Amino acid sequence: MSSIIEELQSTVKKLLEDGTVGYVIGWGATRFPDRTTPVFITRPEDAHKLVWNHYCVNGTAKYALDDRYPEKKIGIIIRGCDSRAVNRMIQDNQLKRENLYLIGIPCDGKENPVCEGCQHKNPLVYDVLIGTPVEEKINPDRFKEVAEFEKLSQDEKYEYWAKQYDKCIHCYACRNVCPACNCKECYADQYRVGWQGKQNNRNSNQVYGLTRAFHVGDRCIECGECERVCPMGLPIMRQTKKMLKDINDLFGDYECGLNDSRPHVLGEFDLQDRDEFM
Amino acid sequence: MQFSYYPGCSMDTTGITYKLSIEYICSKIGLVLHEIPDWNCCGATAAHSKNKMLALALPARNLAQAEEEGLDLDVAVPCASCYSRMKHTVVAARQDENMRRKLEEIIGMPYKAKADVLNFLEIFSRPEMKRACQEKMYRTLKGMKVACYYGCLTSRPVEVTGASSTENPMEMDEIVALTGAEPVEWDFKTECCGASHQVDAPKAARPLIERIIRNAKANKAQAIITACPLCNLNLDMREGEINKAKGTRYDLPVYQFTELLAVCMGAGAKDIGIHKHFFPAFDLLNEYLRKAGD
Amino acid sequence: MSRIGVFVCHCGTNIAGTVDVARVAEAMKAEPGVVFATDYKYMCSEPGQQMVKDMIKEHKLDRIVICSCTPRMHENTFRKMLKDTDVNPYMLEIANIREQCSWVHTDKEKATEKAIALARMAVAKVGRDFPLFTSTIPIHKKALVIGGGIAGIQAALDIADAGYQVTLLEREPSIGGRMVMLDKTFPTLDCSACISTPKMVEVSAHPNIELRTSCELEDVSGYVGNFEVTIRQKARYVNHDICTGCGLCETKCPTKVISEFNQGMSERRAIYKSFAQAVPAKPVIDPDHCRKLQEGKCGVCQAVCPLKAINFEDKDTTFTDTYGAIIVSTGYQLIQWQDLYPEYGGGRFKDVISGLQFERLVNASGPTEGHILRPSDQTEPKDVVIVKCVGSRDPKKGKSYCSRACCMYAAKHAHQILEKIPDSNVYVFYMDVRTPGKGYEEFYDRTRKDGANYIRGRVAKIYKEGGRLICRGEDSLLGRQVTVEADLVILETAMVPADGIGEVVHKLGIAMDADGWVQEAHPKLRPVETQTAGVYLAGTCQGPKDIPDTVAQASAAAAKVCGLFSKSEMETSPMTSKVDQSKCCGCGHCEVCCPYKAITLVEIDDREGPKKIRRTVASVNSGLCQGCGCCAAACRTGAIDLLGFTNDQILREVDALCQ
Amino acid sequence: MSVKRDENWEPQILAFCCNWCTYTGADLAGLNRMKYPENVRVVRVPCSSRVNPQFILRAFQKGCDGVLVCGCHPGDCHYATGNYFTRRRFMLMQRLLEYNGIDPKRFQARWISGSEAAKFRDTVTRVSQEIKELGPNKKFQEEWYSEGGAGNE
Amino acid sequence: MDRCLNNRENAKALAARIAKDAGVDLQDCYQCGKCSGGCPMAGDMDLMPRQIIQYMRLGLMGDVLRSKSIWLCAACHTCVDRCPHDINLPGLIEGARMEAKRRGMIGVKEVDKFTDIFLENVKMFGKNQEVVLEGLYNVTTGHLMQDMVNVPHMLKHKIVGPELNTTKQAAEVKELMLRAQAAENERKRGEQ
């Protein structure tokens, strides 16, 4: 591990020194040994502040959205999930590949339950790779949780979700961290059109939850950031994964953010699609 | 170049000329064949007409043995029928994980379906093999017109064999052309010779042989070339019978393509068993070797 | 605050019989924004309309709700009425309380409640209406016809005869297409060239037709009435303004090339006219085979040309013109059967030919001057096998569709052989004989009586023994294998779209079906239109068909164009999509689902903080947009919205319904 | 959350109908004086693909007991391809709603052409009947939870 | 025999099962006859390959199971290779043959005998012994003199000899065959 950190730090240092990138997004240490924080390294001499350990949980890619028109390339240290986020944001026309310098780093799972089911530990795109690729494993249980939940009765499902949304505090952390949530102005903030109530009550939260699921479900890269940042511990992925599962069942194998993923599952169609509305 | 090797039941008997000529070529070009230690019959037509699982399991035992040896080599199979059965097994095991596990259970040993199964046409079609053969050939059969007969099982079903063409393949033509012989254009390259029914339904199956020979003859071939012990035996053994029964005068010796290669590398008739052919096969070769020598 | 007027129609007793119209009007008075509400016997009548106009003045109404019959009936009537007032015609909503209320319900109480709900929805929606303005676009009365086969020729002539200008585009050096290659046409056995060449000449002589041969479509932009089309004129190396078509150059050219027109069965020169009756009747140089252009040597044609019309320096040029309408008539070609059917020899046998090759063989101006001689040895075949459905009705190797014309021309070929070679035998292998056309079944009957042997089954293999071709198949009516020895085999091969159709379709923004045929707007009701307004189609580019159908469709397309050209300008609906670029993030999800390619992503200048940036946003071409709103539902931000059916309006309607 | 069963209770059903097929079909039903329940209200949209899935949520929120989306049959869309997108969107939406506890009968999509007046009548009659059997929708409704009652915007 | 086409549900179910096992949709076939036209064995068949599909479609399974054709198929796959609908006819025939065998309906006894002897041979020796095979076949079918003309040549050139070439672990092969039979039975049951 330590040699990887050295390799990482020296790579970043060199990139900053030779001016390839304006700054680098990565992880830095905090006062707690089991916490890291996202850091923006702007000077070569700060490269040593980068860390790489079991607690590098934050997604790095979405920060690039705050600097869509950079003068120099943005360096991002990306794991498998971050690389899928980059791919997705490029497919959504939000980032330009030429504005990014991707420092790939294979990841064998972090202090985050979502990592257990990860099928893409190695970055899918990168300009430079730190360390050596790790073995990938197929997750046969990708939709197990959803499938289990589907078995409940309608009322049980409703009650479950109602309880969850009773907890929701409408903080929008899930939206802010999600790489698929990249609208310029979220529908939920458009009070004039009145898509969405401002109140923090069960119904308003339910509508937000479902709308969000439908808005991002077809583009969800399964990074699990939404659940990680949710202060109330809502199982948000369970909604988006339902969308993904149905897309897989109905429209063929689909995983988002891969190099060859279909960009618009809902913006395309097949004449042979199943027809249930006859 | 090295391969695991599954000879099949007829290589020591009716396929003897195929075996001898392959061995001769191996010795010349340094091709190494590792025979699978304790192989068994592939089941041929019999197994798959009675029992689907058996038809997959018999070859699986052989392939598993090849894997067990740990040489990590593809398996070379001279007989088209054995090739087809083995390839069926590989394809089935690769396509369906449950099937692979089931097969392991039946044969009682691990089988990962890693190795490919190759017939000798596929092997000799490789550029490096062609080059190696060409280097060792100093005789030529220039001008000898031959009809290359591929048979059904090296080409069909195409999902299993992955053949480039099921009607007019060219691999053997290209290999045979290295000897100077001239492959003719003809139309029965992949028509069935009825080998599986020559014993149990001779009346129905004999005409299949005749129409192959007739078309080869009509397209001015002087010999038929095969790449399978069964096809070869079938055509070779029955040609005389047909002449006798129907009063025809077919005069086409039937060679394995490896025999032509071996002869051009210097093999004598005895070395590769030219005299073991049912239909006289020596004179034609001799004539062309002489012509070229003059 | 809006000032809404609500007018409830009795429609005699049609509405008032089931709905308490007075109560509806009364209820509407309580709705926010409503300043006036009343009921009246016939709103659509002259006095009814006058009352609306009067009330607009009296109450300074700025939005109108009419509760009456379906908007599909009188929405336009009332919009027209509003044109004479200060109210914008699009500040109008109609509540359908007849077809969807009074006529389908019997309980007066419940029907009245529903009518009130429907009226309330309309009031809610009209409150969010804002003025929209139709624009008119001028129609440029000149048509472009792409493809100069019989379909293109017919369409061009029809439009030109109606008095409009037409440009006829053809990529080959001559117009005429496939039809002029044929010998006779079924079922009447007219000489094909005799009926098509006069039309070709007419095209070249017509004052309203600009003939552009050796030309290809380069680029298309704009929309109905105003297509900007760039056309590439390929280098011909012969100045057609000077050339008289004397043909001296052709006789002196030393290079021989396989003739495309005679389907590979004769030769032409490198400087050539495709065929004797070519239009224009002037040669071009085939640069791929010309020795001067390839190797820099020769130049004989230039030396012999008495008018110095040869110019080896000729280059491709492009020119741009504006057209009001476009007809696609790019036609078909035959499937490349050689690659697909190795069991039929895969092209190894010279005497296995396609139906089109046979047409040339039997044609008096063809390579054999109309004597049926087989290609291998120029002898007269005695036994001929005709194989139908080669490439057609074969989902694995060819196309799954039926090519429609082959049954008939197979019968025609059989007839021609039996007529020209009296002691010949013809065997037709068929799966079905399809003769749905005037005089077609009779023709098939006649061919059988001529002596053609019809064998029901598909040929499995064609092989050669002793100089003869042997066709083996099953006669499925006998239930046994049959073999037929033949001197000549004619394969009636499938029609497939002409090469390059994909590019044309892409440039025009129209659609193609799975087999590559151009997609019509509606298979039954709009068979010659495409989804793009102003682009029509004719002939086999839309699917296999025979000559009568092709010509009929060409005339139909021409009629559509003439209909469009009969007006000098057209009104466009203002109810199109509109992008709020300040909200748009440029993700492009709207772009991919637009069926009209009306949405494009463009870069605009913007600021981000102090920085000047170029930002990508969606942009709608309102000339192309047809107002379906698919984009609006795809947009997560709601940055793109459909005027007349905005998100805001529909949400209000839903809210109003549930009050 | 028990609600007393009102015998005279009528469900509120909202039907989004495309202008070219289903809306025309509904008009034809009127022209033919066919009868169907009064509780179905139609919102006219140009194409079924105009219907944003959020409209459905809104309808439930505001108290609808059932929602229908109707358009042209696949292949017959006035705008060529709109209903293929509708099909994809609402197959997913229906499943997502079911997953959140809404009975799929409460949200349905149907293809009804301009000539299928009888199909329109039968569809809305059946849907109305089905929803009547399900009883009032209590899920996702604004008024059940908001303190200020309905219409609190 | 009653040739009425109605009420053939059982036979149609059997046909459907065989078709499913072969991965065939019987309705794909439009009876073009390209299969029969190219079939090398068609000359001696009593039902054309094309007809087998039509008989199965109509539920005339008796005719199919009784036919010689299902025993004469050489499994050369020419039919499916040329079939415009890629119909796995050899698969259908294989299924029909197993079903016929199960019911003791042997259209061509010699073919059945030959395969049985072949497999017995493998069970006994692990490998197939051509001499034993041909000998046993001739004896059991009564075609005593078949192919005997070639024997002198073979003996003279030592193409065949008295010594047997067997798999050393022949017992292993035998067990394998028993297990395969059990697996096959299980597979069949699973389908029904």
PDB file of all heavy atoms in Angstrom, chain C residues 519-535:
ATOM      1  N   GLN C 519     -38.995   4.849 -44.900  1.00  0.00           N
ATOM      2  CA  GLN C 519     -40.222   4.662 -44.134  1.00  0.00           C
ATOM      3  C   GLN C 519     -41.251   5.723 -44.504  1.00  0.00           C
ATOM      4  O   GLN C 519     -40.964   6.915 -44.457  1.00  0.00           O
ATOM      5  CB  GLN C 519     -39.881   4.764 -42.646  1.00  0.00           C
ATOM      6  CG  GLN C 519     -41.025   4.474 -41.718  1.00  0.00           C
ATOM      7  CD  GLN C 519     -41.305   2.988 -41.630  1.00  0.00           C
ATOM      8  OE1 GLN C 519     -40.412   2.199 -41.366  1.00  0.00           O
ATOM      9  NE2 GLN C 519     -42.540   2.610 -41.875  1.00  0.00           N
ATOM     10  N   GLU C 520     -42.440   5.286 -44.862  1.00  0.00           N
ATOM     11  CA  GLU C 520     -43.507   6.245 -45.154  1.00  0.00           C
ATOM     12  C   GLU C 520     -44.108   6.725 -43.833  1.00  0.00           C
ATOM     13  O   GLU C 520     -43.946   6.083 -42.803  1.00  0.00           O
ATOM     14  CB  GLU C 520     -44.584   5.605 -46.041  1.00  0.00           C
ATOM     15  CG  GLU C 520     -45.351   4.456 -45.415  1.00  0.00           C
ATOM     16  CD  GLU C 520     -44.573   3.141 -45.436  1.00  0.00           C
ATOM     17  OE1 GLU C 520     -43.466   3.101 -45.994  1.00  0.00           O
ATOM     18  OE2 GLU C 520     -45.075   2.162 -44.863  1.00  0.00           O
ATOM     19  N   ALA C 521     -44.824   7.872 -43.889  1.00  0.00           N
ATOM     20  CA  ALA C 521     -45.334   8.469 -42.649  1.00  0.00           C
ATOM     21  C   ALA C 521     -46.423   7.600 -42.034  1.00  0.00           C
ATOM     22  O   ALA C 521     -46.515   7.467 -40.817  1.00  0.00           O
ATOM     23  CB  ALA C 521     -45.875   9.866 -42.918  1.00  0.00           C
ATOM     24  N   HIS C 522     -47.255   7.020 -42.861  1.00  0.00           N
ATOM     25  CA  HIS C 522     -48.261   6.088 -42.366  1.00  0.00           C
ATOM     26  C   HIS C 522     -48.501   5.073 -43.477  1.00  0.00           C
ATOM     27  O   HIS C 522     -48.699   5.451 -44.623  1.00  0.00           O
ATOM     28  CB  HIS C 522     -49.559   6.828 -42.005  1.00  0.00           C
ATOM     29  CG  HIS C 522     -50.537   5.958 -41.262  1.00  0.00           C
ATOM     30  ND1 HIS C 522     -51.305   5.014 -41.913  1.00  0.00           N
ATOM     31  CD2 HIS C 522     -50.845   5.860 -39.958  1.00  0.00           C
ATOM     32  CE1 HIS C 522     -52.060   4.396 -41.018  1.00  0.00           C
ATOM     33  NE2 HIS C 522     -51.789   4.880 -39.819  1.00  0.00           N
ATOM     34  N   PRO C 523     -48.492   3.788 -43.137  1.00  0.00           N
ATOM     35  CA  PRO C 523     -48.538   2.786 -44.207  1.00  0.00           C
ATOM     36  C   PRO C 523     -49.828   2.833 -45.026  1.00  0.00           C
ATOM     37  O   PRO C 523     -49.831   2.425 -46.176  1.00  0.00           O
ATOM     38  CB  PRO C 523     -48.401   1.458 -43.466  1.00  0.00           C
ATOM     39  CG  PRO C 523     -48.689   1.752 -42.045  1.00  0.00           C
ATOM     40  CD  PRO C 523     -48.340   3.179 -41.811  1.00  0.00           C
ATOM     41  N   LYS C 524     -50.883   3.311 -44.435  1.00  0.00           N
ATOM     42  CA  LYS C 524     -52.140   3.298 -45.170  1.00  0.00           C
ATOM     43  C   LYS C 524     -52.588   4.698 -45.570  1.00  0.00           C
ATOM     44  O   LYS C 524     -52.992   4.926 -46.702  1.00  0.00           O
ATOM     45  CB  LYS C 524     -53.225   2.632 -44.325  1.00  0.00           C
ATOM     46  CG  LYS C 524     -52.994   1.153 -44.214  1.00  0.00           C
ATOM     47  CD  LYS C 524     -53.720   0.543 -43.046  1.00  0.00           C
ATOM     48  CE  LYS C 524     -53.179  -0.841 -42.761  1.00  0.00           C
ATOM     49  NZ  LYS C 524     -51.904  -0.817 -42.022  1.00  0.00           N
ATOM     50  N   LEU C 525     -52.481   5.627 -44.641  1.00  0.00           N
ATOM     51  CA  LEU C 525     -53.086   6.927 -44.896  1.00  0.00           C
ATOM     52  C   LEU C 525     -52.113   7.958 -45.453  1.00  0.00           C
ATOM     53  O   LEU C 525     -52.527   8.945 -46.042  1.00  0.00           O
ATOM     54  CB  LEU C 525     -53.724   7.456 -43.610  1.00  0.00           C
ATOM     55  CG  LEU C 525     -54.795   6.516 -43.062  1.00  0.00           C
ATOM     56  CD1 LEU C 525     -55.346   7.038 -41.761  1.00  0.00           C
ATOM     57  CD2 LEU C 525     -55.920   6.332 -44.072  1.00  0.00           C
ATOM     58  N   ARG C 526     -50.835   7.765 -45.231  1.00  0.00           N
ATOM     59  CA  ARG C 526     -49.872   8.735 -45.759  1.00  0.00           C
ATOM     60  C   ARG C 526     -48.731   7.983 -46.443  1.00  0.00           C
ATOM     61  O   ARG C 526     -47.573   8.085 -46.053  1.00  0.00           O
ATOM     62  CB  ARG C 526     -49.345   9.624 -44.631  1.00  0.00           C
ATOM     63  CG  ARG C 526     -50.473  10.388 -43.920  1.00  0.00           C
ATOM     64  CD  ARG C 526     -49.961  11.101 -42.697  1.00  0.00           C
ATOM     65  NE  ARG C 526     -49.151  12.252 -43.064  1.00  0.00           N
ATOM     66  CZ  ARG C 526     -48.236  12.785 -42.254  1.00  0.00           C
ATOM     67  NH1 ARG C 526     -48.009  12.261 -41.073  1.00  0.00           N
ATOM     68  NH2 ARG C 526     -47.552  13.835 -42.641  1.00  0.00           N
ATOM     69  N   PRO C 527     -49.093   7.214 -47.485  1.00  0.00           N
ATOM     70  CA  PRO C 527     -48.091   6.309 -48.071  1.00  0.00           C
ATOM     71  C   PRO C 527     -47.010   7.000 -48.895  1.00  0.00           C
ATOM     72  O   PRO C 527     -45.987   6.391 -49.167  1.00  0.00           O
ATOM     73  CB  PRO C 527     -48.932   5.387 -48.959  1.00  0.00           C
ATOM     74  CG  PRO C 527     -50.133   6.197 -49.314  1.00  0.00           C
ATOM     75  CD  PRO C 527     -50.404   7.099 -48.135  1.00  0.00           C
ATOM     76  N   VAL C 528     -47.214   8.239 -49.335  1.00  0.00           N
ATOM     77  CA  VAL C 528     -46.150   8.879 -50.113  1.00  0.00           C
ATOM     78  C   VAL C 528     -45.475  10.008 -49.338  1.00  0.00           C
ATOM     79  O   VAL C 528     -44.577  10.649 -49.843  1.00  0.00           O
ATOM     80  CB  VAL C 528     -46.642   9.409 -51.481  1.00  0.00           C
ATOM     81  CG1 VAL C 528     -47.155   8.258 -52.331  1.00  0.00           C
ATOM     82  CG2 VAL C 528     -47.709  10.474 -51.318  1.00  0.00           C
ATOM     83  N   GLU C 529     -45.921  10.223 -48.092  1.00  0.00           N
ATOM     84  CA  GLU C 529     -45.251  11.229 -47.280  1.00  0.00           C
ATOM     85  C   GLU C 529     -44.211  10.570 -46.398  1.00  0.00           C
ATOM     86  O   GLU C 529     -44.291   9.383 -46.119  1.00  0.00           O
ATOM     87  CB  GLU C 529     -46.266  11.955 -46.368  1.00  0.00           C
ATOM     88  CG  GLU C 529     -47.190  12.894 -47.107  1.00  0.00           C
ATOM     89  CD  GLU C 529     -48.592  12.359 -47.226  1.00  0.00           C
ATOM     90  OE1 GLU C 529     -48.737  11.169 -47.577  1.00  0.00           O
ATOM     91  OE2 GLU C 529     -49.537  13.120 -46.983  1.00  0.00           O
ATOM     92  N   THR C 530     -43.250  11.364 -45.948  1.00  0.00           N
ATOM     93  CA  THR C 530     -42.344  10.889 -44.915  1.00  0.00           C
ATOM     94  C   THR C 530     -42.678  11.673 -43.660  1.00  0.00           C
ATOM     95  O   THR C 530     -43.546  12.547 -43.682  1.00  0.00           O
ATOM     96  CB  THR C 530     -40.879  11.165 -45.285  1.00  0.00           C
ATOM     97  OG1 THR C 530     -40.691  12.569 -45.330  1.00  0.00           O
ATOM     98  CG2 THR C 530     -40.535  10.568 -46.632  1.00  0.00           C
ATOM     99  N   GLN C 531     -41.953  11.358 -42.583  1.00  0.00           N
ATOM    100  CA  GLN C 531     -42.228  12.104 -41.367  1.00  0.00           C
ATOM    101  C   GLN C 531     -41.787  13.541 -41.477  1.00  0.00           C
ATOM    102  O   GLN C 531     -42.187  14.372 -40.683  1.00  0.00           O
ATOM    103  CB  GLN C 531     -41.397  11.583 -40.210  1.00  0.00           C
ATOM    104  CG  GLN C 531     -41.467  10.163 -39.945  1.00  0.00           C
ATOM    105  CD  GLN C 531     -40.358   9.885 -38.988  1.00  0.00           C
ATOM    106  OE1 GLN C 531     -40.192  10.593 -38.007  1.00  0.00           O
ATOM    107  NE2 GLN C 531     -39.588   8.875 -39.273  1.00  0.00           N
ATOM    108  N   THR C 532     -40.892  13.829 -42.404  1.00  0.00           N
ATOM    109  CA  THR C 532     -40.445  15.207 -42.541  1.00  0.00           C
ATOM    110  C   THR C 532     -41.365  15.910 -43.529  1.00  0.00           C
ATOM    111  O   THR C 532     -41.504  15.461 -44.665  1.00  0.00           O
ATOM    112  CB  THR C 532     -38.997  15.254 -43.043  1.00  0.00           C
ATOM    113  OG1 THR C 532     -38.195  14.530 -42.127  1.00  0.00           O
ATOM    114  CG2 THR C 532     -38.497  16.677 -43.152  1.00  0.00           C
ATOM    115  N   ALA C 533     -41.990  16.977 -43.077  1.00  0.00           N
ATOM    116  CA  ALA C 533     -42.906  17.696 -43.943  1.00  0.00           C
ATOM    117  C   ALA C 533     -42.157  18.170 -45.175  1.00  0.00           C
ATOM    118  O   ALA C 533     -41.031  18.651 -45.074  1.00  0.00           O
ATOM    119  CB  ALA C 533     -43.505  18.880 -43.188  1.00  0.00           C
ATOM    120  N   GLY C 534     -42.763  18.009 -46.330  1.00  0.00           N
ATOM    121  CA  GLY C 534     -42.149  18.491 -47.557  1.00  0.00           C
ATOM    122  C   GLY C 534     -41.255  17.483 -48.244  1.00  0.00           C
ATOM    123  O   GLY C 534     -40.739  17.744 -49.320  1.00  0.00           O
ATOM    124  N   VAL C 535     -41.040  16.313 -47.605  1.00  0.00           N
ATOM    125  CA  VAL C 535     -40.253  15.260 -48.252  1.00  0.00           C
ATOM    126  C   VAL C 535     -41.188  14.091 -48.557  1.00  0.00           C
ATOM    127  O   VAL C 535     -41.844  13.558 -47.657  1.00  0.00           O
ATOM    128  CB  VAL C 535     -39.073  14.788 -47.375  1.00  0.00           C
ATOM    129  CG1 VAL C 535     -38.302  13.692 -48.085  1.00  0.00           C
ATOM    130  CG2 VAL C 535     -38.153  15.951 -47.042  1.00  0.00           C
TER     131      VAL C 535
END
